[in-house]
Amino acid sequence: MAARNSFKGDWLVLPLVGIVAVLLLWTASSASWAKSLPSPLKTWEMSKLYVMEPLAKRGELDQGVVRFTWYSLVLVTKGYAIALLVGTPVGFLLGCSKRLTLMFDPIIQFLRPVSPLAWLPLGLVLFQKSEPAALFTIALCAMWPTVINTAVGVRAVPQDYLNVARVLKLSRTKTLFKVLLPATLPYMFTGFRLSLGIAWLVIVACEMLIGTPGVGGFLWQEYNSLIYEHIILCILTIGLVGFVLDRLMGMVEKRFSAV
């Protein structure tokens, strides 16, 4: 019974032990070989204004951490929505047609590894404005996991399902919504989840390059100002928001899987 009770508390105790271990390692590193690395205490002292006043706006790039996060999330949401709206139907088309796959898969594999740092300048050339260029970059970089996983999911649909749809003389639309979509949903959500993580990664790079208000823009400004404590604050914020977004997407996936 005692072993069973201790196991129940592991979900809380073990992560706390891990956090304490990282903090101790961070403190030891800043005190020994990484002299320029601020300690956790110094980081808190220098950053607490941004945390304790999360919605304050003292200047364009001097705002509370929640404000910066909100700016970044708005841009990510727009770019991510474009990625899903484009990537999902493209994935279905590739999954349903071997010819389209043979035609476009090499192009997808060629474009997929290209860094957002390369796409953003092209976006600026095409749109001449920073926000459309950032949306272009986020959508283009984030859509590939959705495209690939959706296509794989469509190809994985058992042939028996499609045969039953033909026997019942279902239309293409009904076959899509009654057979293909439910069977492909787990694969799609895997792609959606990966795409969301990439979209959040890309926004930081975009903001660093175009200098717009947001977590990435603030991080780059503080790096140029040699305020390393705020760099760590941005890193922690980026990690926390990414963790929360992933968990929220997991909850949405479970909700749809239970239907």
Side-chain angles (χ1 to χ4, degrees):
M1 180 66 72
R4 188 174 296 178
N5 290 335
S6 64
F7 177 77
K8 288 181 179 179
D10 283 352
W11 68 271
L12 177 61
V13 175
L14 293 180
L16 288 176
V17 171
I19 292 171
V20 170
V22 170
L23 289 175
L24 290 175
L25 179 62
W26 177 3
T27 303
S29 299
S30 64
S32 55
W33 60 274
K35 297 292 185 181
S36 59
L37 177 68
S39 67
L41 182 59
K42 189 178 180 183
T43 300
W44 168 248
E45 290 174 351
M46 290 288 291
S47 304
K48 63 182 178 182
L49 177 65
Y50 295 90
V51 178
M52 301 306 291
E53 298 180 14
L55 299 175
K57 184 175 182 179
R58 295 171 290 273
E60 191 68 13
L61 284 172
D62 184 15
Q63 306 182 36
V65 68
V66 171
R67 249 183 201 279
F68 280 136
T69 303
W70 173 253
Y71 295 146
S72 298
L73 283 174
V74 169
L75 205 55
V76 165
T77 301
K78 294 178 181 178
Y80 179 63
I82 296 171
L84 296 194
L85 289 174
V86 175
T88 304
V90 169
F92 267 100
L93 289 173
L94 294 178
C96 292
S97 173
K98 290 184 179 180
R99 288 187 175 183
L100 286 177
T101 299
L102 290 172
M103 189 184 303
F104 291 108
D105 186 67
I107 299 173
I108 291 173
Q109 299 306 326
F110 182 82
L111 296 178
R112 186 169 59 88
V114 177
S115 167
L117 300 178
W119 286 121
L120 184 62
L122 178 61
L124 290 170
V125 171
L126 291 173
F127 300 103
Q128 302 294 317
K129 291 183 180 180
S130 59
E131 183 172 340
L135 292 177
F136 166 79
T137 304
I138 294 167
L140 196 58
C141 292
M143 65 182 278
W144 303 125
T146 295
V147 171
I148 293 170
N149 281 276
T150 301
V152 169
V154 172
R155 295 189 201 108
V157 175
Q159 187 61 41
D160 291 344
Y161 291 8
L162 300 177
N163 293 338
V164 170
R166 290 194 188 97
V167 170
L168 295 176
K169 296 182 179 180
L170 297 181
S171 65
R172 290 187 176 182
T173 303
K174 285 189 176 180
T175 301
L176 173 63
F177 286 100
K178 297 291 186 180
V179 179
L180 290 178
L181 189 59
T184 310
L185 208 56
Y187 294 87
M188 290 171 60
F189 268 105
T190 299
F192 293 168
R193 202 165 179 174
L194 292 171
S195 291
L196 182 59
I198 292 175
W200 182 241
L201 290 174
V202 171
I203 184 60
V204 175
C206 290
E207 289 176 345
M208 287 174 67
L209 286 180
I210 62 182
T212 55
V215 180
F218 179 58
L219 187 154
W220 189 244
Q221 174 193 261
E222 299 308 282
Y223 167 74
N224 290 324
S225 302
L226 302 179
I227 305 177
Y228 302 136
E229 293 83 0
H230 294 167
I231 295 175
I232 295 175
L233 172 65
C234 292
I235 291 172
L236 294 175
T237 302
I238 292 166
L240 177 61
V241 174
F243 175 81
V244 172
L245 290 176
D246 183 72
R247 288 297 182 268
L248 288 175
M249 181 57 72
M251 291 170 61
V252 174
E253 181 180 1
K254 287 182 180 179
R255 174 69 179 85
F256 276 90
S257 299
V259 174

